[in-house]
Amino acid sequence: MANATIARYMLAVAAASLGVPVLAQEDELPDIIEEIVVISTKRESTLQRIPVAVSVVQAEEVEQSQVLDIKDLQFLVPSLRVTQLQTTGNTNFVIRGFGNGANNAGVEPSVGTFIDGVYRSRIAAAMFDLPNLERIEVLRGPQSTLFGKNASAGVINVVTAKPDLDDFNGSASLTYGDYDQAIVKGDVTGPLSRTVGFSLSGYYNQRDGYYENLEGGDAFNEISRYGARGQLLFVPNEDLEVRIIADYDEIDEACCGVANLLNGQAAGLAVAFAGGQVVPNSPFAYEGFYDFTPKNEFESSGVSLQFDYDFDGDVTLTSISAFRNLSRFDNADVDFTSARLIDPVSGNLTDTDIDTFTQELRLTGTGDVADWMLGAYYFDEDIEQETGIIYGDAFRTYADALSTLLGGGLPGTGPSPLDELEFALGLPGGTFFAAGQGNVEFSGLDNQAISIFGQFDFRINDFTTLTLGVNYTEDDKDTFVNITNSDVFSGLDLITIGGSLIFQTVFQQALAAGADAATATALATQASQAGAGVDCGDVPTGAPCNPLIPLQELQFLPPFVGYPNAVESGSSDDSATTWTARLAFDVSDQVNVYLGAGTGFKATSWNLSRDSRPFPGDIPALEAAGLTVNNLAPGTRFAGPEDSTVMEIGMKARFENLAVNLAVFDQEIEGFQSNIFTGVGFNLANAGKQSTTGLEIDLRWAPSEVFQGSLAATFLDPEYDSFEGAQGIDGPTDLSGTTPPGVHEVSINASGRYNFALGNVDGFIRAEYVYEDEVPTVENVPASIASREVSTWNASIGLSWQNGFEALLWGRNIGDDEYLMSAFPSVAQPGSFSGYPNQPRTFGLTIRQYFD
C-alpha cells in the first residue's frame, strides 16, 4: 500500500479520536455497553482501556452462535481465518493474513494458542469442543514479548471459568441437529470446603458425515469426539490462590472429503484405466469415490498447576506448570479416487506422539510511577513420528497407463513402457510399483527453549502511559529423519540408464554398418553423452535422445538421505530479542488513543517428512562423503526463523450506548515460513518478506436495552515483497511484488441481537453475517479453477424460563453459501486439481437446564 494511503488511514484514526466529543468525566461510565475484562497483557484490564488490538468473544456469544470449537471463531472475529485441510488436525490459523503450521509436526504455528495460560504447541491439540468458558481473546499482530517464541502473527487466548467457592451450580444440555448430530454436555461446580472449590465438565459430540462416499463406505466429515475436564481451586487466604486443571479429549472421525475441481485428461484416463472413478469437476457435490474410509484418531491430555501469591498487595508471583500429551493417528485415501492406488491399511498413515512440558514464572508489581512485570518461560518438547506411503494393488496399472500417456519409454511390443523397461534391465515383470512398495518414515524432534521477559508501564502523568517491553528467547532443536524405501522405480537413475541404452543402440547400429569396435564405441559414447539428458520430444527425429525422461514424472518416492549425517547436523540453535514500545493517551474517561510498535519471533521449523531435501550447498559435501543416492534433488531441510514487525496506531472509545475500536497497522514478516503442497509433497521454504498494511474497525452499538449490534471489518493490502523460489502453478517461480493468495482484502463480521419478553419468558433473536471478498486460494492453483469468496448467514432464536430452562433453535450457513477453504494439485495426478469445500447448511435445537 502506498505511503499516502497509510497516512490517510492514520489521519482518519487521529481525526476520529479528536473528533469524538469529550464527555464530562464521571466516576462510573454508563453500563448499557458492558465492560469486558481481558488478560491479554497478562494483567487484568478492560477491553476499552487496554492499548492492544484484541477481539473478545464472550461465553454468551459462543453459546448463542453455536460455536463448537476454535475453528468456528472465524465467524465472530474478522481478522481470524481458520482453514481445515485433509484431516481434523491439519488446521491452520491465520491472523491479518499471516499464519501457518499445518501438515507437518516439525512446523509450529505462527498463531499461538493458549488455554488457561498453557501453550498448545500444535493446533490439533486445541481442536476439541470448547470447555466451560469465560471468554476467548484474539490478539492481533506479533505478541512474542509476553507470549514467547511462537506468536509471530498473533495469539488465541482461551480463558475458562474458575470453580465456584460459594454455591453449587451447573448445567446440562442436549443438542440435536442435521446429519443426526447429538451433543450432550454437563458441568457442575461448587465448594468442597470454605477454601476449596471444584468443577467437573464433560461432553459427547457425534454427527454423521455430510460428504457421501459413492463407493459405499462411510460418509466423511463426521464428528465423533468426547472429553472431560476437572478443576480444583484452593484459596486458603487472601494472598494465595492455587488452581489445578486436568483434561482429556478424544477424537475418532473420518475426515475430510475432497472435491474434484479439474480432472486433468492424462490423470483422469489413467485413474479410469486403473478401475477408479471421480466425480467430474463438481466442487460442491459433497460426494466422491473412495476405496477406504480415512481415520483421524486423536488423544489430547494434560495437567496444569497455577499458583498466584500476593506478597504485600503490590507484588504478585505467578507460576504455571503444565505437562501435555498429544497422540494422533491418521490414514487417508490420498488419491481421492476409488482406484486402490494406496494400500487401505497402511497406505498413508501418520502416527505421532508429542510430549510437552512448560513452566512460566512471573512477578508483577505496582509502583508509584510504573506497573511492571518480570518473567521467565521454559519449554521442552519431544516428538516421535512414524509415517509413510504404501502402494496399493492398482497402482501398477495406474502407472502403466500414465507412462503410456506421458509418451515415454522404449519402443517395443510389450504391454507397456514399464514392461519394456523391466525387460531391458533384466528384471522380472511386475517389479515396478508392486503392491506393498513405498516408504516408511521415522522422524523426531527434541526442542528446548527458554525466554526471559519484562514489561514496564510508566505513568508519565495522569493521562499518558509509556509501555516498554523486551523478551530474549533461545530455541534449540535436534531432529532426525530416516526412511526405508522399497519403491524400485523411483530409485532408478533414468538419465544414466537412458544413456546406456543410447550407447547400446548406436554401438549395434555402427557395427551393423561395418564400423570396427573402436569406432562403434566412440560413436556410441558421443551419442550417449549428447543425448542422455535430452527428452526425445525436444529434438528432431533421429537425434540422440533419452526416451525415458518423461517417465521421471512417475518417480514419486525417490531415495532419501537420512539425517543427521556427517554433513548435516539436524540441529538448529536460534536466539532473538523482541520488544514492544507503546504510548497510550487518555483523551477522556471515554476515549484513549495509542501509538505502538513491536517485533515477534518464530524459531526454525523442520521438515519432518519425505519431502525434506538437502540444501544445494550441502550436496557437494554429501557427494564427497559418499552419502548421495540416485535422483537426489536439492531442496530444504528446514525453514529459518520468522521475524515480524508491526507499527500500529489505534483508538478506543466507550460511551453509554457505543463502543468504537480502530487500528491502523503496517505489519511484515521477514522469512515467512511457506509450506505449499506440490502434488507429490510439501515445499517448506522461507519467503523473503511478506507485508500487510491494514485498517481494523470494531463497533458495538446498543441503542436500547433490547437491541445490541456489532460490526467488525478488516481491510488489508497484502504483498509478497520478495519471494524467490516460490512454488507456483508451473513450478518454482518468483512471486516478489505479487499479492499472497488466500488473504482477503475485505473481511466483515456483523451481528445483531434483539431481546424480548413473552410473559415470564425471556427471549432473543440473533443474526450474524460474514463476508470475505474473492481471492485465489493458493499459489500453485489457477484462480480460474479455485477462488474463495464468503457470504454466510448464521442465526439463532432462544427462550429462557425463570426455572433455569433454556431452548435454542439455531442455523449455521442458513443461505447455503458455497466456497472453498483451500485447494491443491491432485496427488500424483498431473493436470488435476482438488479442493476442500465448506460445510453446508445445518440446523439444530439445543435445550439446557441450569441448576443451583
Side-chain angles (χ1 to χ4, degrees):
M1 180 177 291
N3 289 334
T5 305
I6 300 173
R8 284 197 297 270
Y9 274 170
M10 292 187 173
L11 286 173
V13 173
S17 64
L18 294 176
V20 172
V22 179
L23 304 183
Q25 295 190 5
E26 20 183 13
D27 294 335
E28 294 184 4
L29 290 171
D31 57 3
I32 295 180
I33 291 291
E34 178 188 4
E35 279 279 25
I36 298 176
V37 176
V38 297
I39 54 171
S40 302
T41 57
K42 299 192 176 182
R43 288 178 177 274
E44 190 171 284
S45 183
T46 63
L47 177 62
Q48 296 307 120
R49 288 293 183 184
I50 187 172
V52 175
V54 56
S55 299
V56 177
V57 180
Q58 300 280 54
E60 183 182 45
E61 294 177 85
V62 170
E63 292 179 356
Q64 294 179 355
S65 183
Q66 194 64 9
V67 170
L68 295 180
D69 57 30
I70 286 181
K71 73 176 185 293
D72 288 336
L73 285 179
Q74 62 186 320
F75 295 108
L76 301 176
V77 181
S79 292
L80 174 67
R81 180 185 165 200
V82 185
T83 301
Q84 185 169 326
L85 304 176
Q86 73 265 31
T87 70
T88 302
N90 285 334
T91 300
N92 198 24
F93 293 162
V94 176
I95 293 178
R96 289 179 172 174
F98 299 101
N100 50 34
N103 294 295
N104 196 310
V107 181
E108 293 169 283
S110 298
V111 176
T113 302
F114 294 79
I115 299 180
D116 289 325
V118 176
Y119 176 51
R120 302 290 178 99
S121 68
R122 298 299 184 277
I123 294 174
M127 289 307 299
F128 303 91
D129 285 29
L130 295 171
N132 206 16
L133 283 177
E134 280 193 5
R135 64 188 176 277
I136 301 173
E137 305 167 4
V138 180
L139 288 75
R140 307 186 291 271
Q143 306 293 330
S144 293
T145 301
L146 294 181
F147 287 92
K149 62 171 183 158
N150 290 320
S152 56
V155 163
I156 298 174
N157 188 38
V158 179
V159 182
T160 71
K162 293 181 181 180
D164 196 323
L165 283 172
D166 298 320
D167 300 298
F168 284 97
N169 59 83
S171 68
S173 66
L174 175 64
T175 297
Y176 183 78
D178 279 336
Y179 306 101
D180 283 332
Q181 183 169 29
I183 306 173
V184 180
K185 290 186 176 183
D187 64 89
V188 61
T189 183
L192 294 176
S193 70
R194 187 176 57 84
T195 59
V196 179
F198 82 100
S199 67
L200 292 173
S201 62
Y203 69 90
Y204 172 79
N205 186 353
Q206 183 279 329
R207 187 196 68 196
D208 294 341
Y210 58 78
Y211 186 99
E212 183 180 2
N213 182 4
L214 298 176
E215 193 69 7
D218 298 330
F220 299 175
N221 294 82
E222 65 176 1
I223 294 176
S224 180
R225 56 186 67 175
Y226 66 87
R229 180 181 176 88
Q231 295 191 57
L232 284 176
L233 181 65
F234 179 48
V235 186
N237 54 57
E238 63 181 11
D239 297 325
L240 177 64
E241 179 177 293
V242 180
R243 188 181 186 190
I244 303 172
I245 304 174
D247 63 88
Y248 177 85
D249 297 272
E250 186 169 323
I251 286 178
D252 185 0
E253 299 174 350
C255 191
C256 301
V258 169
N260 179 38
L261 306 180
L262 178 65
N263 194 22
Q265 180 182 12
L269 290 174
V271 168
F273 189 74
Q277 300 181 71
V278 294
V279 176
N281 307 345
S282 301
F284 302 102
Y286 297 105
E287 59 185 20
F289 293 89
Y290 296 79
D291 56 283
F292 68 90
T293 301
K295 292 182 178 180
N296 299 167
E297 300 174 355
F298 301 165
E299 294 182 10
S300 178
S301 59
V303 61
S304 65
L305 168 65
Q306 176 174 343
F307 72 81
D308 298 274
Y309 184 75
D310 190 346
F311 286 99
D312 57 6
D314 293 328
V315 178
T316 301
L317 172 66
T318 298
S319 170
I320 304 176
S321 309
F323 175 80
R324 300 206 58 81
N325 173 263
L326 173 65
S327 299
R328 57 179 293 188
F329 178 86
D330 301 301
N331 192 20
D333 185 7
V334 292
D335 58 89
F336 309 119
T337 75
S338 56
R340 187 158 290 189
L341 306 185
I342 300 299
D343 182 79
V345 176
S346 55
N348 189 44
L349 66 84
T350 299
D351 193 352
T352 308
D353 189 79
I354 303 177
D355 289 321
T356 308
F357 172 76
T358 57
Q359 173 64 57
E360 181 174 5
L361 287 172
R362 63 177 184 263
L363 278 172
T364 57
T366 300
D368 293 335
V369 297
D371 297 333
W372 54 271
M373 178 187 301
L374 298 173
Y377 182 80
Y378 177 70
F379 174 89
D380 189 345
E381 184 166 80
D382 181 70
I383 300 174
E384 294 182 357
Q385 178 171 272
E386 178 182 353
T387 184
I389 188 164
I390 304 297
Y391 296 137
D393 53 23
F395 199 91
R396 167 66 186 225
T397 307
Y398 169 71
D400 275 334
L402 193 56
S403 65
T404 300
L405 293 168
L406 290 171
L410 302 175
T413 58
S416 75
L418 296 181
D419 292 285
E420 291 289 340
L421 184 57
E422 287 169 341
F423 178 79
L425 296 177
L427 298 173
T431 296
F432 300 147
F433 302 112
Q437 289 186 7
N439 66 30
V440 178
E441 310 160 23
F442 298 92
S443 60
L445 183 150
D446 187 17
N447 182 195
Q448 287 86 37
I450 187 169
S451 296
I452 301 173
F453 59 90
Q455 184 162 297
F456 297 83
D457 299 317
F458 297 98
R459 293 182 291 276
I460 297 176
N461 54 45
D462 291 341
F463 309 104
T464 309
T465 301
L466 173 65
T467 298
L468 299 175
V470 65
N471 179 302
Y472 176 76
T473 296
E474 289 188 357
D475 188 280
D476 299 329
K477 295 181 179 178
D478 296 301
T479 67
F480 72 89
V481 179
N482 294 307
I483 292 181
T484 301
N485 193 320
S486 58
D487 178 5
V488 178
F489 186 82
S490 292
L492 298 178
D493 183 350
L494 295 179
I495 299 296
T496 299
I497 293 172
S500 297
L501 295 174
I502 294 172
F503 180 93
Q504 294 173 15
T505 300
V506 174
F507 183 78
Q508 295 298 329
Q509 290 173 346
L511 290 179
D516 58 35
T519 301
T521 299
L523 291 173
T525 300
Q526 181 181 10
S528 174
Q529 292 174 345
V534 178
D535 190 327
C536 292
D538 298 333
V539 295
T541 302
C545 63
N546 185 349
L548 303 181
I549 286 180
L551 300 185
Q552 289 179 324
E553 291 272 359
L554 301 180
Q555 294 184 312
F556 303 115
L557 303 174
F560 186 85
V561 175
Y563 67 86
N565 53 52
V567 176
E568 301 169 295
S569 68
S571 299
S572 58
D573 183 0
D574 302 318
S575 62
T577 300
T578 56
W579 53 267
T580 297
R582 188 167 53 241
L583 187 66
F585 178 71
D586 292 335
V587 177
S588 70
D589 282 351
Q590 293 78 37
V591 181
N592 63 76
V593 296
Y594 66 91
L595 174 67
T599 61
F601 165 70
K602 177 184 173 184
T604 294
S605 287
W606 285 82
N607 194 342
L608 301 184
S609 77
R610 62 182 175 273
D611 307 319
S612 172
R613 295 286 182 268
F615 288 97
D618 288 332
I619 289 184
L622 290 170
E623 292 175 342
L627 295 176
T628 55
V629 294
N630 287 344
N631 304 326
L632 179 62
T636 63
R637 297 291 199 192
F638 58 82
E642 292 181 352
D643 294 299
S644 56
T645 304
V646 66
M647 298 180 63
E648 185 168 309
I649 182 172
M651 181 203 75
K652 295 194 172 187
R654 175 177 174 266
F655 306 105
E656 179 179 1
N657 60 5
L658 177 67
V660 182
N661 296 336
L662 299 176
V664 175
F665 61 89
D666 186 12
Q667 185 173 330
E668 65 182 37
I669 291 186
E670 295 273 0
F672 176 75
Q673 296 172 0
S674 171
N675 195 32
I676 300 297
F677 185 68
T678 65
V680 293
F682 285 88
N683 182 46
L684 177 63
N686 288 105
K689 181 180 176 183
Q690 180 181 342
S691 64
T692 297
T693 302
L695 167 67
E696 295 168 333
I697 305 172
D698 192 348
L699 304 176
R700 289 184 295 142
W701 179 51
S704 69
E705 293 185 356
V706 299
F707 179 81
Q708 181 166 319
S710 68
L711 173 66
T714 300
F715 304 92
L716 302 177
D717 187 6
E719 182 179 7
Y720 281 135
D721 301 83
S722 60
F723 194 2
E724 298 179 2
Q727 192 64 37
I729 296 171
D730 299 317
T733 187
D734 185 358
L735 294 179
S736 301
T738 66
T739 299
V743 182
H744 298 276
E745 295 186 0
V746 179
S747 300
I748 298 174
N749 291 59
S751 69
R753 187 185 69 197
Y754 174 73
N755 300 318
F756 60 89
L758 298 173
N760 293 326
V761 179
D762 293 326
F764 73 88
I765 299 175
R766 177 183 173 90
E768 302 163 2
Y769 177 66
V770 180
Y771 171 78
E772 295 175 333
D773 67 331
E774 186 174 7
V775 294
T777 55
V778 291
E779 288 88 345
N780 57 346
V781 176
S784 59
I785 295 174
S787 61
R788 169 188 164 100
E789 181 179 14
V790 179
S791 181
T792 300
W793 285 93
N794 303 320
S796 58
I797 180 170
L799 299 173
S800 60
W801 285 258
Q802 293 181 351
N803 62 1
F805 182 77
E806 291 185 351
L808 175 70
L809 180 66
W810 51 266
R812 310 281 301 174
N813 189 16
I814 58 178
D816 212 14
D817 185 28
E818 297 177 338
Y819 57 89
L820 292 173
M821 293 184 288
S822 187
F824 58 95
S826 301
V827 179
Q829 299 171 55
S832 297
F833 296 94
S834 304
Y836 298 100
N838 70 310
Q839 180 173 299
R841 174 174 49 220
T842 56
F843 291 96
L845 173 67
T846 298
I847 57 175
R848 180 180 293 107
Q849 178 67 55
Y850 291 97
F851 57 88
D852 52 30

